[in-house]
PDB file of all heavy atoms in Angstrom:
ATOM      1  N   PHE W  54      51.702  86.180-266.115  1.00 94.00           N
ATOM      2  CA  PHE W  54      52.477  86.067-264.870  1.00 94.00           C
ATOM      3  C   PHE W  54      53.078  87.428-264.541  1.00 94.00           C
ATOM      4  O   PHE W  54      54.140  87.787-265.049  1.00 94.00           O
ATOM      5  CB  PHE W  54      53.587  85.012-265.011  1.00 94.00           C
ATOM      6  CG  PHE W  54      53.067  83.677-265.482  1.00 94.00           C
ATOM      7  CD1 PHE W  54      53.152  83.330-266.823  1.00 94.00           C
ATOM      8  CD2 PHE W  54      52.470  82.806-264.585  1.00 94.00           C
ATOM      9  CE1 PHE W  54      52.664  82.111-267.265  1.00 94.00           C
ATOM     10  CE2 PHE W  54      51.977  81.582-265.023  1.00 94.00           C
ATOM     11  CZ  PHE W  54      52.064  81.238-266.357  1.00 94.00           C
ATOM     12  N   SER W  75      62.002  79.985-259.636  1.00 95.00           N
ATOM     13  CA  SER W  75      61.777  80.688-260.895  1.00 95.00           C
ATOM     14  C   SER W  75      61.849  79.666-262.023  1.00 95.00           C
ATOM     15  O   SER W  75      62.391  78.572-261.852  1.00 95.00           O
ATOM     16  CB  SER W  75      62.823  81.777-261.109  1.00 95.00           C
ATOM     17  OG  SER W  75      64.086  81.193-261.263  1.00 95.00           O
ATOM     18  N   GLU W 186      86.578  71.122-286.702  1.00 98.00           N
ATOM     19  CA  GLU W 186      86.244  72.482-286.262  1.00 98.00           C
ATOM     20  C   GLU W 186      87.011  72.928-285.024  1.00 98.00           C
ATOM     21  O   GLU W 186      86.898  74.087-284.604  1.00 98.00           O
ATOM     22  CB  GLU W 186      84.739  72.599-286.008  1.00 98.00           C
ATOM     23  CG  GLU W 186      83.893  72.577-287.271  1.00 98.00           C
ATOM     24  CD  GLU W 186      84.308  73.665-288.260  1.00 98.00           C
ATOM     25  OE1 GLU W 186      84.522  74.817-287.829  1.00 98.00           O
ATOM     26  OE2 GLU W 186      84.443  73.352-289.455  1.00 98.00           O
ATOM     27  N   LYS W 279     106.369  69.980-265.821  1.00 96.00           N
ATOM     28  CA  LYS W 279     107.213  68.787-265.999  1.00 96.00           C
ATOM     29  C   LYS W 279     107.812  68.627-267.396  1.00 96.00           C
ATOM     30  O   LYS W 279     108.995  68.317-267.512  1.00 96.00           O
ATOM     31  CB  LYS W 279     106.441  67.529-265.582  1.00 96.00           C
ATOM     32  CG  LYS W 279     106.445  67.320-264.062  1.00 96.00           C
ATOM     33  CD  LYS W 279     105.947  65.938-263.668  1.00 96.00           C
ATOM     34  CE  LYS W 279     106.255  65.666-262.188  1.00 96.00           C
ATOM     35  NZ  LYS W 279     105.732  64.346-261.779  1.00 96.00           N
ATOM     36  N   PRO W 304     100.631  83.095-267.037  1.00 98.00           N
ATOM     37  CA  PRO W 304     100.035  83.583-268.296  1.00 98.00           C
ATOM     38  C   PRO W 304      98.821  82.776-268.744  1.00 98.00           C
ATOM     39  O   PRO W 304      97.904  83.326-269.352  1.00 98.00           O
ATOM     40  CB  PRO W 304     101.186  83.467-269.304  1.00 98.00           C
ATOM     41  CG  PRO W 304     102.213  82.596-268.668  1.00 98.00           C
ATOM     42  CD  PRO W 304     102.039  82.693-267.196  1.00 98.00           C
ATOM     43  N   ASP W 331     107.777  66.946-247.603  1.00 95.00           N
ATOM     44  CA  ASP W 331     108.689  67.356-246.520  1.00 95.00           C
ATOM     45  C   ASP W 331     107.988  67.454-245.184  1.00 95.00           C
ATOM     46  O   ASP W 331     108.583  67.871-244.195  1.00 95.00           O
ATOM     47  CB  ASP W 331     109.261  68.764-246.811  1.00 95.00           C
ATOM     48  CG  ASP W 331     109.956  68.832-248.143  1.00 95.00           C
ATOM     49  OD1 ASP W 331     110.551  67.810-248.528  1.00 95.00           O
ATOM     50  OD2 ASP W 331     109.894  69.895-248.793  1.00 95.00           O
ATOM     51  N   PRO W 388      97.204  84.574-230.974  1.00 96.00           N
ATOM     52  CA  PRO W 388      97.166  86.042-230.937  1.00 96.00           C
ATOM     53  C   PRO W 388      98.595  86.599-230.933  1.00 96.00           C
ATOM     54  O   PRO W 388      99.495  85.990-230.345  1.00 96.00           O
ATOM     55  CB  PRO W 388      96.456  86.333-229.609  1.00 96.00           C
ATOM     56  CG  PRO W 388      96.495  85.076-228.816  1.00 96.00           C
ATOM     57  CD  PRO W 388      96.635  83.938-229.796  1.00 96.00           C
TER      58      PRO W 388
END
Side-chain angles (χ1 to χ4, degrees):
F54 307 98
S75 65
E186 289 304 315
K279 279 192 168 178
D331 304 326

